[in-house]
Amino acid sequence: MRAVFAAFFTLVWAGAALAQWVITKEDDAFEGDLHMALSAEWGGYMAGFRCREGKPPSFVYMTPESAETSSIEMMQRMPPSIVVVVDDQPRLTIGTEIEANATTGKLTAITFEPEVVEVIFAAKNAKKRVAFGLEFMGKVYHSKSFSPTGTTKALGGLIERCKIDTPSG
């Protein structure tokens, strides 16, 4: 998976990719294929959903900030949340874990919470924006709006490939 992220970021930072959502697959004969729907924006931000068939999806949000060990440790003691706004819908707050990305060393939030499914379905139908940020101690940091271009195809493909059920409610 590191190779997929590295290749994707190389394209984005080199200016060869547009800020749209794409879907990709990493072949894995042992754990099942890993499917990812990714988007990156100028400035080093990346948002992505990933899943394996029959397993709950997760969400990854990478910032351009270098992850210092002391910052990570502090944030792990006082866990932040990922905040999400799709179009003009109400803000959704999801608990998250923070780490330094193994490939880039950048501050990265990862969540496996059930609300990820809600975000996937909402973002799939986005018309205006899909915005993410990190909320820490009541303040939002690293707020970034991503274009909805490609969400229908990329997230629809993720839903189909991983057999993600429509959220109830």
Side-chain angles (χ1 to χ4, degrees):
M1 181 166 70
R2 291 180 187 167
V4 172
F5 281 128
F8 189 73
F9 282 113
T10 299
L11 287 173
V12 171
W13 285 323
L18 296 175
Q20 71 176 24
W21 291 81
V22 296
I23 189 164
T24 185
K25 176 178 97 170
E26 183 177 300
D27 186 42
D28 188 332
F30 299 100
E31 294 187 48
D33 295 341
L34 178 65
H35 302 279
M36 295 175 280
L38 307 165
S39 183
E41 288 286 337
W42 298 114
Y45 287 91
M46 188 280 299
F49 297 93
R50 58 188 183 183
C51 61
R52 295 181 192 276
E53 185 178 330
K55 295 182 181 174
S58 61
F59 173 73
V60 178
Y61 184 57
M62 187 183 305
T63 74
E65 180 180 337
S66 294
E68 301 296 327
T69 303
S70 59
S71 297
I72 297 290
E73 289 171 355
M74 181 182 69
M75 291 179 93
Q76 288 172 338
R77 285 192 300 274
M78 304 172 83
S81 299
I82 292 174
V83 289
V84 182
V85 174
V86 177
D87 293 335
D88 293 319
Q89 295 177 19
R91 180 168 108 169
L92 178 64
T93 302
I94 306 172
T96 190
E97 299 170 18
I98 295 292
E99 66 181 38
N101 180 276
T103 304
T104 65
K106 301 299 182 184
L107 181 67
T108 304
I110 301 171
T111 185
F112 300 90
E113 297 296 323
E115 293 91 346
V116 169
V117 173
E118 292 176 46
V119 177
I120 290 171
F121 277 87
K124 174 183 169 275
N125 298 313
K127 302 289 183 235
K128 181 175 164 184
R129 68 174 171 218
V130 183
F132 304 102
L134 293 177
E135 186 174 52
F136 183 67
M137 297 178 65
K139 184 165 171 44
V140 176
Y141 300 89
H142 293 292
S143 174
K144 188 69 175 172
S145 289
F146 289 77
S147 168
T149 303
T151 56
T152 301
K153 184 176 180 181
L155 295 174
L158 192 76
I159 290 164
E160 182 181 321
R161 292 178 185 187
C162 293
K163 299 178 177 28
I164 301 171
D165 293 327
T166 305
S168 56

